[in-house]
Structure formats: structure tokens, C-alpha cells
Amino acid sequence: MSILAKAFAVTFFFFSLLFLAGGILVFDKGEYSVSIIFFIVLIILVWAGVSLWKYKPKQKVSKTKAPAVAKEEAKSSVETKEEGISLANEGDYNYEAREERRVANANYFAMGVHNRAKQTMESMEIISESKNFDTVQSRYQFVQETLNELKGYAYHPRYIQDVQIGVDYYKQLYYDRLPTDVMIAGVVDPVKFDLETFYCASLENCYYRYRESQFVQISALKREDAKNKRFAKLNEILGLVMKEMAQNCKAAKNFNEVYSRLVQAQDELSKKIN
């Protein structure tokens, strides 16, 4: 390509000489306007010839990386792999937890956090106040699911902001009752929230509320056999509560204290059944 450019340059120089001679000839004859045109063309030809003579083709840039760069990237790749191995060696639980958080953050859904926070608080309130064992049990299972979902989102930078929106939404819907500190703690920091301790205390309170309502009804009964049936039913519910507590609350901080009180309540109740 460089040889071809030089050949064109020589050609332009040759025509430049012809135009130079023609321009001088025309100038001598007194045709000045025509001679000006000759000289303009001459200048263009000379400029083009010089440009072609100096032309150098662009060299292709090699895509091969410099040895130093390649070595550095290789080192970085090895370090990354070693870091991944070391994270895995810290323990399967920690490694899997990191992966779960990474996936959850990648799939972060702000509106989902709003709704889950509100739903969790609604169910926690029912668990705290209901006297129906089946209701408390089913709501606890639901809260387990929602809190596990919120745990995955809890490491996202905007999680607290979105949870606050959910709490405000709850307050707007139930303006006549404020959420308790326990309810707020559950959604604000689901990772550290002690759900089992909360459930253990709620099961105990559930039974006491149910027992109180039954005692009111039993006191209005006149027949002893009817009273015995109510006491037997009450004892049955207490047995279910204690069984549920033993299965799902053994790790709770208050388990031993609460369970011993229910054992005592069971003994007292057994005395009332004829």
C-alpha cells in the first residue's frame, strides 16, 4: 500500500510540472485569469502528491496482552478462586447463607418487603392475642415463612426503608391499635429475632385466655357431667399446647419456665375432673 501511494504521488508531481509550465505560458500571453486557475490546480496537485508521499499505513494493534498484564490477570483469577474456596471452607452453612443472601438481593422486590412486613405484623398480633390454639399454630407457621423470606432481604441496603413503609401501612390500616415493640423488632431485624421465645410465650397466653373463657362458661353450668366434659376438653387443649411447645419451643429461652407452669396448671386441672 505504501508503494502504491508513492506511485500516485510521483504521478501528481508530474502533472504539477505540466500545470506549472502551462500556467507560465498562459501568464506570458497576458491571460491572467486563466493562469490563476492553472496555479490553483498546481497547488492542489502538489499538496496531494506530498500527502501521498508521506502516507504510512496504520499498523494493526495486536490484541495479545502484554506479558505483565496477562500475568497480573492470571494472578487475580487464581486469588479469586482461592478466596471462593476459603469461603466455602469456612463452613457449608456460612457459604450457603452467603449464596442465599446474594440471590435474594439480586431478586430484591421492594413491594414484596412492604407486604411481607405488614402480613408478618398482622399474624404476630393474632398469635399474641388469640385464644384459639389452631389459629395460633397456623399463624406461627405462616410467620415462619414470612420471616424466612424477610431474612433473605434483610441484608439489602434499602431494606430498613422498605420495612418502615410496611410498618406505616400497618398503622394506617389499624389506626386504633399500635404495633408492639416485639412486632416491630420481628420485621426490622428478622435475622436476630427470637421467634421461638415469642411463640412459647404466646402459646402459654393462648391457653390462659382459653381457660379463662371456659371457666366463665363452666361456672354457669349446673350439671356436674357437663362441667366434667368442659374440664376434659380444657385438659385436651392444654395437652396439645404442651405437645406443640415441646416440639417447636425447646430451644426458646423461656421454655423451661413456661413449660413448668403449664405442668402445674395441668395438675390443678386434673383435680377438677371427677
Side-chain angles (χ1 to χ4, degrees), residues 191-238:
V191 177
K192 294 182 179 180
F193 181 67
D194 190 350
L195 181 60
E196 289 186 354
T197 298
F198 167 74
Y199 186 47
C200 186
S202 298
L203 282 172
E204 181 185 23
N205 293 331
C206 170
Y207 169 71
Y208 289 147
R209 279 189 291 270
Y210 178 73
R211 185 182 68 174
E212 184 179 354
S213 65
Q214 290 301 304
F215 278 177
V216 172
Q217 296 180 23
I218 290 173
S219 63
L221 297 176
K222 300 188 180 296
R223 295 174 51 184
E224 288 298 322
D225 58 338
K227 292 182 179 181
N228 284 332
K229 287 182 180 179
R230 291 296 184 94
F231 282 128
K233 179 65 176 177
L234 186 58
N235 191 52
E236 178 185 347
I237 296 298
L238 177 56

Side-chain angles (χ1 to χ4, degrees), residues 8 16 28 34 54 57 73 76-77 101 104 122 130 141 143-144 152 156 165 176-177 180 189 205 210-211 217 226 265:
F8 274 111
S16 297
D28 288 340
V34 177
K54 292 182 177 180
E73 290 187 356
S76 177
S77 177
R101 293 200 296 268
E122 288 172 340
S130 178
Q141 293 170 355
V143 168
Q144 279 183 307
H156 196 277
I165 293 174
D176 56 335
R177 55 183 185 268
T180 64
D189 194 352
N205 293 331
Y210 178 73
R211 185 182 68 174
Q217 296 180 23

Side-chain angles (χ1 to χ4, degrees), residues 228 231-232 235 268-274:
N228 284 332
F231 282 128
N235 191 52
E268 294 174 357
L269 186 59
S270 298
K271 298 175 181 178
K272 295 179 182 293
I273 301 174
N274 296 328

Side-chain angles (χ1 to χ4, degrees), residues 98-146:
R98 285 192 182 91
E99 283 299 299
E100 289 178 1
R101 293 200 296 268
R102 183 183 65 78
V103 173
N105 287 338
N107 300 323
Y108 189 81
F109 182 45
M111 185 65 71
V113 175
H114 305 166
N115 292 331
R116 281 309 196 191
K118 179 185 73 70
Q119 293 169 352
T120 301
M121 293 173 69
E122 288 172 340
S123 292
M124 289 180 70
E125 181 181 24
I126 293 173
I127 292 173
S128 299
E129 298 182 357
S130 178
K131 63 181 179 182
N132 188 303
F133 168 70
D134 292 333
T135 300
V136 172
Q137 187 181 42
S138 63
R139 288 287 178 163
Y140 168 70
Q141 293 170 355
F142 177 72
V143 168
Q144 279 183 307
E145 296 175 4
T146 59

Side-chain angles (χ1 to χ4, degrees), residues 84-99:
I85 295 172
S86 66
L87 288 176
N89 289 337
E90 285 183 10
D92 293 338
Y93 174 78
N94 291 335
Y95 181 71
E96 291 174 1
R98 285 192 182 91
E99 283 299 299

Side-chain angles (χ1 to χ4, degrees), residues 49-62:
V50 172
S51 298
L52 287 171
W53 187 264
K54 292 182 177 180
Y55 173 76
K56 290 183 181 180
K58 294 181 178 180
Q59 295 181 351
K60 293 183 178 180
V61 179
S62 177

